Amino acid sequence: MKRTKIIDVLKSTEYGKEVCVKGWVRTHRSSKAVDFIALNDGSTIKNVQIVVDPASCPVSGEGFTATLKDVTTGACICAKGTLVESPAAGQPSEIQATEIVVYGLCDNTYPMQKKGQSFEVMRKNAHLRLRTNTFGAIMRIRHNMAIAIHKYFHDHGFYYFNTPLITASDCEGAGNMFQVTTKNLYDLKKDEKGNIIYDDDFFGEQTSLTVSGQLEGELGATALGAIYTFGPTFRAENSNTPRHLAEFWMVEPEVAFMNQEELMDLEEDFIKYCVQWALDNCQDDLAFLNQMVDKSLLQRLQSVISTSFVRLTYTEGIDILQKAIADGHKFEFPCQWGDDLASEHERYLVEEHFKKPVIMTDYPSAIKAFYMKQNGTKGYKGIVAPGPTMQGTDVLFPQIGEIIGGSVREENYDKLMAEIKARQMETDKLWWYLDTRRYGSCPHAGFGLGFERLILFVTGMQNIRDVIPFPRTPKSADF
């Protein structure tokens, strides 16, 4: 008999029909007269109830002897039977079993038992946590967010553009990159100054895993008009915060002929679209997470799509934060003009002052990347700042802080070169990037969205390690 997914069984009203379902046992309750098995196959947050008469329903093992006692939490089974209307509240239908086949036994050492597990325990068992209700919900939402991203950009005329994972340049200038090499690390050849010689390496030069596809994405935008990248990126930052991963996914659109105001419009429209997609297509999973993880989740998601984002300059934001300090608010980190804002500052503006998402613009040049377009001291909407600023457009969200980092890019060759020299950056790795400012340069802009940060917001989870299947963090690369 052909298998039917549990999501389809639960939608069906063809009572009396013979069905076959396969999945993993969530619970098994026994009595003298009847057993109840809750079965889930990952297609939905909901389980289907299998009603078993121990006296009449045969139980066998796939290649081994099995009894009904072997149908324990975590076991994998096939259940055949008749679809009937359920007398129990909260479930439209159930299956009266006529045969059960056990595919995989599961003993009582299985760590994902019915009793609640802490997220820390589940992280240590990332190979099994995906079978739990919580992580099944998160992964289905993650899938839907990926679909929403591709659909949004496709419908808006963007081209999906693949940028390299291995690079010889550092987009952010941070230096925290994972090196890629075929060299024998136990016998590194060095020159007279002690520098490693890369002539015999695979690429003939030092290369690393990319922290961003933006620079290459700009090349695509200057050829195709509007592109987006969506792929894994890597940062070798020794950080154990709930907001950082060593391997994460980035969404990075780049658009030719786009100014700062248009970029902010794109950022707001895009992220509202993604949140609306989740509300429309992940209702059961969101309802579960709203009940079990964060009881304000649905309300917060609705509030994002029903309100206009505040557009605020960095200078105005600093004024608000300093007034809060003067009024007695305590921050762990300082926030003078010129400081890089911490998550606590961003969340104060979003959650306490405005109570809505904020797009912060025109950051001090010194704390932003070299490729951002400079304003001088007069920035967005004529706001005068104490020092030079750049046309940054970062989106700040409740509970997350920065979820999008964007900017207008500097298209002028001389200005870009001056910034690179002022930062004492090496230009030999960026010759191809600088060429785009020499040959038909154009105004353009773009942003980067940390995909896992989006999933954090949409699911209400508190730790970024819990919204990616297999997190990569310092001293942790299992699974």
Side-chain angles (χ1 to χ4, degrees):
M1 185 184 299
K2 185 178 179 180
R3 173 201 171 204
T4 303
K5 288 185 177 181
I6 288 174
I7 190 172
D8 297 321
V9 166
L10 294 176
K11 291 177 182 177
S12 176
T13 56
E14 295 184 70
Y15 302 126
K17 180 181 178 180
E18 295 299 307
V19 294
C20 170
V21 291
K22 300 177 182 181
W24 293 268
V25 176
R26 287 285 193 261
T27 61
H28 181 181
R29 295 181 290 120
S30 300
S31 67
K32 290 183 179 180
V34 66
D35 282 29
F36 299 97
I37 300 168
L39 195 68
N40 190 282
D41 64 1
S43 62
T44 172
I45 190 71
K46 298 177 180 178
N47 305 321
V48 66
Q49 180 165 274
I50 313 295
V51 183
V52 184
D53 181 349
S56 62
C57 179
V59 178
S60 60
E62 185 80 353
F64 55 87
T65 301
T67 68
L68 198 53
K69 290 183 179 180
D70 294 314
V71 182
T72 59
T73 296
C76 182
I77 69 169
C78 166
K80 299 177 182 178
T82 305
L83 183 67
V84 299
E85 192 168 3
S86 176
Q91 54 186 45
S93 57
E94 60 188 26
I95 297 173
Q96 295 281 352
T98 56
E99 181 186 359
I100 290 177
V101 178
V102 180
Y103 289 144
L105 299 170
C106 191
D107 62 34
N108 58 12
T109 63
Y110 179 56
M112 301 295 118
Q113 294 293 336
K114 182 183 177 182
K115 61 183 178 121
Q117 319 290 333
S118 72
F119 288 124
E120 184 61 35
V121 168
M122 286 194 275
R123 279 177 219 129
K124 293 176 181 178
N125 293 279
H127 59 308
L128 298 172
R129 69 175 182 170
L130 301 175
R131 299 186 196 177
T132 65
N133 286 335
T134 299
F135 284 91
I138 292 168
M139 293 306 134
R140 284 186 292 270
I141 290 172
R142 186 181 171 102
H143 158 80
N144 268 280
M145 289 296 90
I147 295 297
I149 287 164
H150 284 297
K151 181 165 175 55
Y152 178 87
F153 286 121
H154 177 73
D155 290 350
H156 287 78
F158 286 67
Y159 295 100
Y160 181 38
F161 190 72
N162 302 123
T163 54
L165 298 185
I166 300 174
T167 179
S169 62
D170 179 0
C171 173
E172 301 294 336
N176 298 317
M177 302 176 75
F178 291 103
Q179 190 170 340
V180 176
T181 183
T182 56
K183 293 180 70 65
N184 180 356
L185 299 182
Y186 298 99
D187 185 24
L188 294 175
K189 297 179 180 179
K190 299 181 180 180
D191 62 20
E192 62 277 5
K193 295 181 180 180
N195 298 318
I196 296 173
I197 299 172
Y198 286 94
D199 292 349
D200 61 340
D201 206 355
F202 185 89
F203 293 106
E205 59 182 325
Q206 184 176 352
T207 55
S208 304
L209 294 176
T210 186
V211 298
S212 169
Q214 178 203 312
L215 301 189
E216 294 88 352
E218 288 185 49
L219 309 187
T222 58
L224 301 172
I227 64 93
Y228 72 102
T229 75
F230 186 7
T233 51
F234 310 85
R235 189 182 292 276
E237 185 176 1
N238 189 16
S239 174
N240 278 293
T241 77
R243 294 289 181 270
H244 291 92
L245 290 166
E247 177 184 280
F248 52 99
W249 287 65
M250 287 288 290
V251 180
E252 297 177 291
E254 290 289 330
V255 190
F257 315 113
M258 176 169 277
N259 62 32
Q260 187 177 22
E261 194 74 35
E262 293 167 334
L263 177 60
M264 289 188 282
D265 291 342
L266 173 65
E267 290 170 338
E268 181 170 348
D269 188 59
F270 166 71
I271 206 159
K272 283 183 173 180
Y273 179 94
C274 291
V275 173
Q276 185 65 63
W277 183 278
L279 289 167
D280 291 342
N281 295 277
C282 307
Q283 295 176 8
D284 289 343
D285 290 321
L286 288 176
F288 172 82
L289 293 172
N290 189 77
Q291 178 184 2
M292 302 300 294
V293 174
D294 183 347
K295 296 190 183 302
S296 62
L297 174 61
L298 289 174
Q299 179 183 357
R300 191 165 57 252
L301 295 179
Q302 290 286 357
S303 70
V304 164
I305 60 175
S306 63
T307 186
S308 295
F309 294 3
V310 174
R311 299 187 179 187
L312 179 79
T313 69
Y314 169 92
T315 302
E316 292 172 313
I318 288 292
D319 290 343
I320 292 169
L321 292 168
Q322 289 182 338
K323 184 178 185 303
I325 292 171
D327 291 341
H329 192 92
K330 302 292 185 183
F331 290 114
E332 181 181 355
F333 298 102
C335 56
Q336 300 295 320
W337 199 95
D339 291 334
D340 199 358
L341 296 185
S343 180
E344 61 174 340
H345 305 136
E346 296 168 342
R347 291 184 62 178
Y348 174 84
L349 293 170
V350 172
E351 296 171 12
E352 298 187 45
H353 187 81
F354 290 107
K355 294 182 171 57
K356 61 174 67 175
V358 169
I359 304 180
M360 183 167 279
T361 69
D362 301 278
Y363 289 82
S365 299
I367 64 172
K368 286 297 183 180
F370 74 95
Y371 49 73
M372 294 188 181
K373 188 176 183 65
Q374 293 196 17
N375 282 313
T377 57
K378 187 176 288 187
Y380 179 63
K381 293 187 176 178
I383 298 294
V384 177
T389 63
M390 289 182 167
Q391 291 185 25
T393 58
D394 292 358
V395 180
L396 314 180
F397 254 36
Q399 293 202 322
I400 301 296
E402 180 190 324
I403 194 169
I404 281 178
S407 78
V408 179
R409 317 309 191 188
E410 181 55 70
E411 80 274 13
N412 182 279
Y413 177 86
D414 292 333
K415 290 181 179 179
L416 186 60
M417 276 299 299
E419 187 65 29
I420 289 173
K421 289 179 179 178
R423 296 176 185 236
Q424 299 182 325
M425 295 174 60
E426 296 181 5
T427 59
D428 60 329
K429 303 291 186 183
L430 292 172
W431 63 269
W432 52 270
Y433 183 70
L434 292 168
D435 268 1
T436 62
R437 273 63 175 177
R438 297 173 61 216
Y439 305 131
S441 183
C442 70
H444 59 289
F447 67 79
L449 166 78
F451 185 52
E452 280 74 28
R453 291 198 176 192
L454 174 63
I455 307 304
L456 266 182
F457 179 75
V458 172
T459 60
M461 299 296 288
Q462 298 299 308
N463 194 313
I464 202 164
R465 303 177 192 199
D466 297 329
V467 295
I468 190 169
F470 308 106
R472 295 291 180 258
T473 55
K475 303 295 188 293
S476 177
D478 294 333
F479 315 111

